[in-house]
Amino acid sequence: MKLIAVVALGQNHCIGHNNEMPWHIPEDLAHFKALTMGKTVLMGRKTFESILASLGRPLPGRPQMVLTRSSAWAPEVVGSDAITRASSLADALEMARARGLDELMVIGGAEVYGQCMAQLDVIEATEIEASPEGDAFFPPLDPAQWVRTPGERSESKGLGYTFVRYTRRA
Ligand SMILES: NC(=O)c1ccc[n+]([C@@H]2O[C@H](COP(=O)([O-])OP(=O)(O)OC[C@H]3O[C@@H](n4cnc5c(N)ncnc54)[C@H](OP(=O)(O)O)[C@@H]3O)[C@@H](O)[C@H]2O)c1
């Protein structure tokens, strides 16, 4: 099973502030959707809540595993049967393997990326040409470990960004 992270990050590796994304780039949301639709996604409880706050519902069309250490946690959402609680990363990976998944998409946040980093095969990054203030950061990307393949640079309302694939060196 491949472990693939999907992240949008600033030049300072900022990914979030006050449990929200520091920018609004519709093209990046569309990219995220294209990469993850129909696939199982793994996220931390705070990211799940951040998505719930911004969309008003969980991500549609994607089975979701939510990491939390709280055994009392249950998503207070209607039709939440596609949402599974995982009490540890090992637990989540075991569930994913038991489901026979080829890929598990790791969608954040900082704490979860940090823990998955050593096991990631691919990182689908949106590199944003900004260094916003924040309280959540993506780990450093060591060029000795990752091959960086950038796509074309684009702009959204004057904000430059590039979709970049990082593949772990053999
Ligand atoms: N730019 C992007 O692409 C992107 C993507 C996703 C998120 N974000 C941003 O990232 C920020 C959230 O990141 P975060 O680091 O604060 O939180 P997070 O990683 O989303 O969630 C952290 C929570 O996950 C649970 N958790 C983490 N590791 C666990 C483990 N091994 N076992 C069991 N539970 C575990 C814990 O929940 P409990 O406290 O319930 O135990 C922990 O408090 C937000 O600002 C969000 O907007 C940005």
Short mmCIF file of all heavy atoms in Angstrom, two decimals, residues 6-10 14-23 28 32 43-51 66-70 73 85-90 107-113 115 128 135-138, ligand 1:
data_model
loop_
_atom_site.label_atom_id
_atom_site.label_comp_id
_atom_site.label_asym_id
_atom_site.label_seq_id
_atom_site.Cartn_x
_atom_site.Cartn_y
_atom_site.Cartn_z
N VAL A 6 -1.07 14.70 0.70
CA VAL A 6 -1.52 15.82 -0.13
C VAL A 6 -1.48 17.04 0.78
O VAL A 6 -2.10 17.04 1.85
CB VAL A 6 -2.94 15.59 -0.67
CG1 VAL A 6 -3.34 16.71 -1.63
CG2 VAL A 6 -3.07 14.24 -1.36
N VAL A 7 -0.74 18.07 0.34
CA VAL A 7 -0.56 19.24 1.21
C VAL A 7 -0.39 20.50 0.38
O VAL A 7 0.15 20.46 -0.72
CB VAL A 7 0.67 19.04 2.14
CG1 VAL A 7 1.97 18.93 1.36
CG2 VAL A 7 0.77 20.15 3.19
N ALA A 8 -0.88 21.61 0.91
CA ALA A 8 -0.58 22.93 0.34
C ALA A 8 0.28 23.64 1.37
O ALA A 8 -0.10 23.74 2.54
CB ALA A 8 -1.88 23.70 0.09
N LEU A 9 1.45 24.10 0.92
CA LEU A 9 2.35 24.70 1.90
C LEU A 9 2.98 25.99 1.39
O LEU A 9 3.19 26.15 0.19
CB LEU A 9 3.43 23.71 2.35
CG LEU A 9 4.60 23.36 1.44
CD1 LEU A 9 5.63 22.56 2.22
CD2 LEU A 9 4.15 22.52 0.26
N GLY A 10 3.25 26.89 2.32
CA GLY A 10 3.92 28.14 1.98
C GLY A 10 5.42 27.92 1.89
O GLY A 10 5.94 26.83 2.16
N CYS A 14 4.47 26.80 6.20
CA CYS A 14 3.22 27.00 6.93
C CYS A 14 2.07 26.30 6.19
O CYS A 14 1.97 26.39 4.95
CB CYS A 14 2.93 28.50 7.03
SG CYS A 14 1.36 28.84 7.82
N ILE A 15 1.22 25.60 6.95
CA ILE A 15 0.05 24.95 6.34
C ILE A 15 -1.26 25.38 6.99
O ILE A 15 -2.33 25.08 6.48
CB ILE A 15 0.15 23.40 6.37
CG1 ILE A 15 0.17 22.88 7.82
CG2 ILE A 15 1.36 22.90 5.60
CD1 ILE A 15 -0.14 21.39 7.92
N GLY A 16 -1.17 26.05 8.14
CA GLY A 16 -2.42 26.40 8.81
C GLY A 16 -2.23 27.45 9.89
O GLY A 16 -1.12 27.67 10.38
N HIS A 17 -3.35 28.09 10.21
CA HIS A 17 -3.37 29.09 11.28
C HIS A 17 -4.74 29.05 11.94
O HIS A 17 -5.75 29.11 11.25
CB HIS A 17 -3.10 30.47 10.67
CG HIS A 17 -2.83 31.52 11.71
ND1 HIS A 17 -2.03 31.31 12.81
CD2 HIS A 17 -3.24 32.81 11.80
CE1 HIS A 17 -1.99 32.40 13.54
NE2 HIS A 17 -2.72 33.32 12.96
N ASN A 18 -4.74 28.93 13.26
CA ASN A 18 -6.02 28.86 14.01
C ASN A 18 -6.96 27.80 13.44
O ASN A 18 -8.16 28.03 13.30
CB ASN A 18 -6.72 30.22 14.02
CG ASN A 18 -5.96 31.23 14.84
OD1 ASN A 18 -5.23 30.86 15.77
ND2 ASN A 18 -6.09 32.50 14.49
N ASN A 19 -6.41 26.66 13.11
CA ASN A 19 -7.16 25.53 12.54
C ASN A 19 -7.89 25.86 11.23
O ASN A 19 -8.94 25.29 10.92
CB ASN A 19 -8.13 24.93 13.56
CG ASN A 19 -8.20 23.41 13.41
OD1 ASN A 19 -7.24 22.77 12.98
ND2 ASN A 19 -9.34 22.84 13.73
N GLU A 20 -7.28 26.79 10.47
CA GLU A 20 -7.80 27.09 9.13
C GLU A 20 -6.63 27.13 8.15
O GLU A 20 -5.49 27.30 8.55
CB GLU A 20 -8.48 28.47 9.12
CG GLU A 20 -9.79 28.49 9.88
CD GLU A 20 -10.41 29.88 9.90
OE1 GLU A 20 -9.83 30.82 9.32
OE2 GLU A 20 -11.48 30.01 10.52
N MET A 21 -6.96 27.03 6.87
CA MET A 21 -5.92 27.22 5.85
C MET A 21 -5.61 28.72 5.78
O MET A 21 -6.52 29.54 5.85
CB MET A 21 -6.44 26.75 4.49
CG MET A 21 -6.89 25.32 4.46
SD MET A 21 -5.58 24.17 4.08
CE MET A 21 -5.61 24.19 2.30
N PRO A 22 -4.34 29.09 5.60
CA PRO A 22 -3.98 30.51 5.59
C PRO A 22 -4.34 31.23 4.28
O PRO A 22 -4.08 32.41 4.15
CB PRO A 22 -2.46 30.51 5.79
CG PRO A 22 -2.07 29.10 6.06
CD PRO A 22 -3.16 28.22 5.56
N TRP A 23 -4.86 30.53 3.29
CA TRP A 23 -5.17 31.13 1.98
C TRP A 23 -6.44 30.48 1.45
O TRP A 23 -6.90 29.47 1.95
CB TRP A 23 -4.01 30.87 1.00
CG TRP A 23 -3.51 29.46 1.15
CD1 TRP A 23 -4.17 28.30 0.82
CD2 TRP A 23 -2.30 29.04 1.79
NE1 TRP A 23 -3.44 27.21 1.19
CE2 TRP A 23 -2.29 27.63 1.77
CE3 TRP A 23 -1.21 29.72 2.35
CZ2 TRP A 23 -1.23 26.89 2.31
CZ3 TRP A 23 -0.17 28.97 2.87
CH2 TRP A 23 -0.18 27.58 2.84
N ASP A 28 -6.56 25.10 -6.03
CA ASP A 28 -5.91 24.10 -5.18
C ASP A 28 -6.94 23.15 -4.59
O ASP A 28 -6.70 21.95 -4.46
CB ASP A 28 -5.10 24.79 -4.07
CG ASP A 28 -4.43 23.75 -3.19
OD1 ASP A 28 -3.78 22.83 -3.74
OD2 ASP A 28 -4.58 23.84 -1.95
N PHE A 32 -6.95 19.20 -5.02
CA PHE A 32 -7.09 18.30 -3.87
C PHE A 32 -8.23 17.30 -4.14
O PHE A 32 -8.09 16.09 -3.91
CB PHE A 32 -7.38 19.13 -2.61
CG PHE A 32 -7.70 18.29 -1.41
CD1 PHE A 32 -6.68 17.72 -0.65
CD2 PHE A 32 -9.02 18.06 -1.02
CE1 PHE A 32 -6.98 16.93 0.46
CE2 PHE A 32 -9.33 17.28 0.08
CZ PHE A 32 -8.30 16.70 0.81
N MET A 43 -6.73 11.55 8.31
CA MET A 43 -6.46 12.90 8.83
C MET A 43 -6.54 12.91 10.35
O MET A 43 -7.10 12.01 10.97
CB MET A 43 -7.46 13.90 8.25
CG MET A 43 -8.85 13.80 8.85
SD MET A 43 -10.07 14.71 7.90
CE MET A 43 -10.70 13.38 6.87
N GLY A 44 -5.97 13.97 10.93
CA GLY A 44 -6.08 14.17 12.36
C GLY A 44 -7.45 14.75 12.72
O GLY A 44 -8.11 15.36 11.88
N ARG A 45 -7.81 14.60 13.98
CA ARG A 45 -9.11 15.08 14.45
C ARG A 45 -9.27 16.59 14.23
O ARG A 45 -10.34 17.08 13.88
CB ARG A 45 -9.25 14.72 15.93
CG ARG A 45 -10.61 14.89 16.53
CD ARG A 45 -10.75 16.18 17.34
NE ARG A 45 -9.67 16.35 18.30
CZ ARG A 45 -9.36 17.52 18.83
NH1 ARG A 45 -10.00 18.61 18.48
NH2 ARG A 45 -8.36 17.60 19.70
N LYS A 46 -8.18 17.35 14.37
CA LYS A 46 -8.29 18.81 14.20
C LYS A 46 -8.56 19.18 12.75
O LYS A 46 -9.34 20.09 12.47
CB LYS A 46 -7.03 19.49 14.73
CG LYS A 46 -6.91 19.37 16.24
CD LYS A 46 -5.69 20.08 16.77
CE LYS A 46 -5.56 19.80 18.27
NZ LYS A 46 -4.29 20.30 18.81
N THR A 47 -7.93 18.46 11.84
CA THR A 47 -8.20 18.72 10.41
C THR A 47 -9.63 18.34 10.07
O THR A 47 -10.32 19.07 9.34
CB THR A 47 -7.17 17.96 9.53
OG1 THR A 47 -5.89 18.57 9.75
CG2 THR A 47 -7.51 18.00 8.07
N PHE A 48 -10.09 17.23 10.61
CA PHE A 48 -11.49 16.83 10.38
C PHE A 48 -12.42 17.96 10.82
O PHE A 48 -13.35 18.34 10.10
CB PHE A 48 -11.81 15.54 11.14
CG PHE A 48 -13.24 15.10 10.97
CD1 PHE A 48 -13.63 14.41 9.84
CD2 PHE A 48 -14.19 15.40 11.94
CE1 PHE A 48 -14.97 14.02 9.67
CE2 PHE A 48 -15.52 15.01 11.78
CZ PHE A 48 -15.91 14.31 10.65
N GLU A 49 -12.13 18.52 12.00
CA GLU A 49 -13.01 19.59 12.52
C GLU A 49 -12.88 20.86 11.70
O GLU A 49 -13.87 21.58 11.51
CB GLU A 49 -12.70 19.83 14.00
CG GLU A 49 -13.33 18.72 14.81
CD GLU A 49 -13.02 18.71 16.29
OE1 GLU A 49 -12.33 19.63 16.76
OE2 GLU A 49 -13.47 17.76 16.94
N SER A 50 -11.69 21.11 11.20
CA SER A 50 -11.48 22.28 10.36
C SER A 50 -12.30 22.16 9.05
O SER A 50 -12.92 23.13 8.60
CB SER A 50 -9.98 22.40 10.08
OG SER A 50 -9.72 23.23 9.01
N ILE A 51 -12.30 20.97 8.48
CA ILE A 51 -13.08 20.74 7.25
C ILE A 51 -14.57 20.89 7.55
O ILE A 51 -15.31 21.53 6.80
CB ILE A 51 -12.77 19.34 6.66
CG1 ILE A 51 -11.32 19.31 6.14
CG2 ILE A 51 -13.76 18.96 5.57
CD1 ILE A 51 -10.81 17.94 5.76
N VAL A 66 -10.19 9.03 10.82
CA VAL A 66 -9.84 10.19 11.64
C VAL A 66 -9.05 9.69 12.84
O VAL A 66 -9.53 8.85 13.61
CB VAL A 66 -11.11 10.95 12.08
CG1 VAL A 66 -10.73 12.15 12.94
CG2 VAL A 66 -11.91 11.40 10.87
N LEU A 67 -7.86 10.23 13.00
CA LEU A 67 -7.01 9.86 14.15
C LEU A 67 -7.40 10.69 15.36
O LEU A 67 -7.47 11.92 15.29
CB LEU A 67 -5.55 10.16 13.83
CG LEU A 67 -4.77 9.08 13.06
CD1 LEU A 67 -3.46 9.67 12.55
CD2 LEU A 67 -4.51 7.87 13.95
N THR A 68 -7.67 10.03 16.45
CA THR A 68 -7.89 10.71 17.73
C THR A 68 -7.52 9.76 18.86
O THR A 68 -7.69 8.54 18.73
CB THR A 68 -9.35 11.19 17.89
OG1 THR A 68 -9.50 11.74 19.21
CG2 THR A 68 -10.36 10.08 17.71
N ARG A 69 -7.00 10.34 19.95
CA ARG A 69 -6.68 9.50 21.11
C ARG A 69 -7.87 9.39 22.05
O ARG A 69 -7.82 8.68 23.04
CB ARG A 69 -5.46 10.08 21.84
CG ARG A 69 -4.22 10.06 20.97
CD ARG A 69 -2.98 10.57 21.67
NE ARG A 69 -1.83 10.51 20.76
CZ ARG A 69 -1.45 11.51 19.96
NH1 ARG A 69 -2.09 12.66 19.97
NH2 ARG A 69 -0.42 11.35 19.14
N SER A 70 -8.93 10.11 21.71
CA SER A 70 -10.11 10.11 22.58
C SER A 70 -11.07 8.98 22.18
O SER A 70 -11.61 8.98 21.07
CB SER A 70 -10.82 11.46 22.46
OG SER A 70 -12.15 11.33 22.90
N TRP A 73 -14.65 10.03 21.16
CA TRP A 73 -14.92 10.84 19.96
C TRP A 73 -15.80 10.08 18.97
O TRP A 73 -15.58 8.92 18.66
CB TRP A 73 -13.61 11.20 19.27
CG TRP A 73 -13.79 12.13 18.10
CD1 TRP A 73 -13.85 13.47 18.13
CD2 TRP A 73 -13.93 11.74 16.72
NE1 TRP A 73 -14.01 13.97 16.86
CE2 TRP A 73 -14.07 12.92 15.98
CE3 TRP A 73 -13.96 10.52 16.05
CZ2 TRP A 73 -14.23 12.93 14.58
CZ3 TRP A 73 -14.12 10.52 14.67
CH2 TRP A 73 -14.25 11.71 13.95
N ARG A 85 -12.94 5.93 13.15
CA ARG A 85 -11.99 6.45 14.12
C ARG A 85 -10.78 5.52 14.17
O ARG A 85 -10.94 4.29 14.16
CB ARG A 85 -12.64 6.50 15.51
CG ARG A 85 -11.78 7.15 16.57
CD ARG A 85 -12.50 7.12 17.91
NE ARG A 85 -12.18 5.92 18.65
CZ ARG A 85 -11.12 5.79 19.45
NH1 ARG A 85 -10.30 6.79 19.63
NH2 ARG A 85 -10.90 4.67 20.08
N ALA A 86 -9.57 6.09 14.24
CA ALA A 86 -8.37 5.28 14.45
C ALA A 86 -7.66 5.83 15.67
O ALA A 86 -7.50 7.04 15.81
CB ALA A 86 -7.47 5.34 13.22
N SER A 87 -7.24 4.94 16.56
CA SER A 87 -6.67 5.42 17.83
C SER A 87 -5.15 5.53 17.79
O SER A 87 -4.55 6.02 18.74
CB SER A 87 -7.13 4.53 18.98
OG SER A 87 -6.79 3.21 18.68
N SER A 88 -4.55 5.08 16.69
CA SER A 88 -3.11 5.26 16.52
C SER A 88 -2.80 5.16 15.03
O SER A 88 -3.63 4.65 14.25
CB SER A 88 -2.33 4.18 17.27
OG SER A 88 -2.53 2.93 16.64
N LEU A 89 -1.62 5.61 14.65
CA LEU A 89 -1.24 5.52 13.24
C LEU A 89 -1.16 4.05 12.82
O LEU A 89 -1.63 3.67 11.75
CB LEU A 89 0.11 6.22 13.03
CG LEU A 89 0.63 6.25 11.60
CD1 LEU A 89 -0.37 6.89 10.64
CD2 LEU A 89 1.97 6.98 11.55
N ALA A 90 -0.59 3.22 13.71
CA ALA A 90 -0.47 1.79 13.39
C ALA A 90 -1.85 1.17 13.16
O ALA A 90 -2.05 0.39 12.22
CB ALA A 90 0.25 1.07 14.53
N ILE A 107 -3.99 13.46 4.57
CA ILE A 107 -4.37 14.84 4.23
C ILE A 107 -4.19 15.81 5.40
O ILE A 107 -4.77 16.89 5.41
CB ILE A 107 -5.81 14.89 3.66
CG1 ILE A 107 -6.86 14.40 4.67
CG2 ILE A 107 -5.90 14.08 2.36
CD1 ILE A 107 -8.28 14.83 4.29
N GLY A 108 -3.36 15.43 6.38
CA GLY A 108 -2.99 16.41 7.41
C GLY A 108 -3.63 16.15 8.74
O GLY A 108 -4.32 15.15 8.94
N GLY A 109 -3.39 17.06 9.70
CA GLY A 109 -2.59 18.27 9.56
C GLY A 109 -1.14 18.04 9.97
O GLY A 109 -0.58 16.96 9.76
N ALA A 110 -0.58 19.05 10.59
CA ALA A 110 0.85 19.06 10.87
C ALA A 110 1.28 17.86 11.70
O ALA A 110 2.29 17.21 11.40
CB ALA A 110 1.21 20.36 11.59
N GLU A 111 0.52 17.57 12.73
CA GLU A 111 0.90 16.48 13.63
C GLU A 111 0.90 15.15 12.87
O GLU A 111 1.79 14.31 13.03
CB GLU A 111 -0.09 16.44 14.81
CG GLU A 111 0.41 15.60 15.96
CD GLU A 111 -0.58 15.51 17.12
OE1 GLU A 111 -1.37 16.47 17.35
OE2 GLU A 111 -0.58 14.48 17.79
N VAL A 112 -0.09 14.97 12.03
CA VAL A 112 -0.23 13.71 11.30
C VAL A 112 0.82 13.61 10.19
O VAL A 112 1.47 12.56 10.02
CB VAL A 112 -1.67 13.55 10.76
CG1 VAL A 112 -1.79 12.36 9.83
CG2 VAL A 112 -2.64 13.42 11.94
N TYR A 113 1.05 14.68 9.45
CA TYR A 113 2.13 14.65 8.43
C TYR A 113 3.45 14.28 9.11
O TYR A 113 4.21 13.47 8.61
CB TYR A 113 2.30 16.02 7.77
CG TYR A 113 1.20 16.48 6.85
CD1 TYR A 113 0.70 17.79 6.94
CD2 TYR A 113 0.67 15.66 5.85
CE1 TYR A 113 -0.28 18.25 6.09
CE2 TYR A 113 -0.32 16.12 4.99
CZ TYR A 113 -0.79 17.43 5.12
OH TYR A 113 -1.77 17.89 4.28
N GLN A 115 4.10 12.58 11.74
CA GLN A 115 4.21 11.17 12.12
C GLN A 115 4.33 10.24 10.91
O GLN A 115 4.91 9.17 11.00
CB GLN A 115 2.99 10.75 12.92
CG GLN A 115 2.92 11.40 14.28
CD GLN A 115 1.61 11.03 14.97
OE1 GLN A 115 1.28 9.87 15.12
NE2 GLN A 115 0.87 12.05 15.37
N ILE A 128 3.04 27.27 -2.43
CA ILE A 128 2.42 28.58 -2.54
C ILE A 128 3.47 29.65 -2.27
O ILE A 128 4.25 29.55 -1.31
CB ILE A 128 1.23 28.65 -1.58
CG1 ILE A 128 0.16 27.66 -2.07
CG2 ILE A 128 0.66 30.06 -1.50
CD1 ILE A 128 -0.87 27.29 -1.09
N ASP A 135 0.46 28.49 12.71
CA ASP A 135 0.80 27.68 13.88
C ASP A 135 0.87 26.21 13.53
O ASP A 135 0.93 25.35 14.40
CB ASP A 135 -0.21 27.94 15.01
CG ASP A 135 -1.64 27.73 14.55
OD1 ASP A 135 -1.85 27.06 13.52
OD2 ASP A 135 -2.56 28.26 15.21
N ALA A 136 0.81 25.89 12.23
CA ALA A 136 0.92 24.50 11.79
C ALA A 136 1.86 24.49 10.59
O ALA A 136 1.70 25.29 9.66
CB ALA A 136 -0.45 23.95 11.41
N PHE A 137 2.84 23.59 10.63
CA PHE A 137 3.90 23.59 9.61
C PHE A 137 4.16 22.18 9.11
O PHE A 137 4.04 21.21 9.86
CB PHE A 137 5.20 24.17 10.20
CG PHE A 137 5.08 25.65 10.49
CD1 PHE A 137 4.54 26.09 11.69
CD2 PHE A 137 5.46 26.59 9.54
CE1 PHE A 137 4.38 27.45 11.94
CE2 PHE A 137 5.31 27.95 9.79
CZ PHE A 137 4.76 28.38 11.00
N PHE A 138 4.51 22.09 7.82
CA PHE A 138 4.90 20.81 7.22
C PHE A 138 6.38 20.56 7.54
O PHE A 138 7.17 21.51 7.56
CB PHE A 138 4.67 20.85 5.70
CG PHE A 138 4.70 19.50 5.05
CD1 PHE A 138 3.59 18.67 5.14
CD2 PHE A 138 5.80 19.05 4.36
CE1 PHE A 138 3.59 17.41 4.56
CE2 PHE A 138 5.82 17.79 3.77
CZ PHE A 138 4.71 16.97 3.87
N1 LIG B 1 -2.42 23.29 4.02
C1 LIG B 1 -2.82 22.02 4.04
O1 LIG B 1 -2.69 21.28 3.07
C2 LIG B 1 -3.47 21.49 5.28
C3 LIG B 1 -4.00 20.19 5.30
C4 LIG B 1 -4.58 19.73 6.48
C5 LIG B 1 -4.61 20.54 7.59
N2 LIG B 1 -4.09 21.79 7.52
C6 LIG B 1 -4.07 22.65 8.70
O2 LIG B 1 -3.34 22.00 9.73
C7 LIG B 1 -3.85 22.44 10.99
C8 LIG B 1 -4.20 21.25 11.83
O3 LIG B 1 -3.01 20.50 12.12
P1 LIG B 1 -2.68 20.02 13.62
O4 LIG B 1 -1.30 19.50 13.62
O5 LIG B 1 -3.02 21.13 14.55
O6 LIG B 1 -3.76 18.89 13.87
P2 LIG B 1 -4.09 17.49 13.12
O7 LIG B 1 -2.82 16.80 12.76
O8 LIG B 1 -5.11 17.71 12.08
O9 LIG B 1 -4.84 16.72 14.31
C9 LIG B 1 -4.15 16.48 15.50
C10 LIG B 1 -4.99 15.54 16.32
O10 LIG B 1 -5.03 14.27 15.70
C11 LIG B 1 -5.04 13.25 16.70
N3 LIG B 1 -3.82 12.46 16.52
C12 LIG B 1 -2.65 12.83 15.95
N4 LIG B 1 -1.78 11.81 15.95
C13 LIG B 1 -2.41 10.77 16.53
C14 LIG B 1 -2.02 9.43 16.82
N5 LIG B 1 -0.82 8.94 16.48
N6 LIG B 1 -2.92 8.63 17.41
C15 LIG B 1 -4.15 9.08 17.74
N7 LIG B 1 -4.58 10.33 17.49
C16 LIG B 1 -3.70 11.17 16.90
C17 LIG B 1 -5.11 13.96 18.02
O11 LIG B 1 -6.50 14.13 18.26
P3 LIG B 1 -7.13 14.20 19.75
O12 LIG B 1 -6.66 15.51 20.30
O13 LIG B 1 -8.61 14.14 19.51
O14 LIG B 1 -6.59 13.01 20.50
C18 LIG B 1 -4.45 15.29 17.72
O15 LIG B 1 -4.83 16.32 18.62
C19 LIG B 1 -5.03 23.35 10.68
O16 LIG B 1 -4.61 24.69 10.68
C20 LIG B 1 -5.42 22.93 9.28
O17 LIG B 1 -6.09 23.97 8.58
C21 LIG B 1 -3.54 22.27 6.39
#
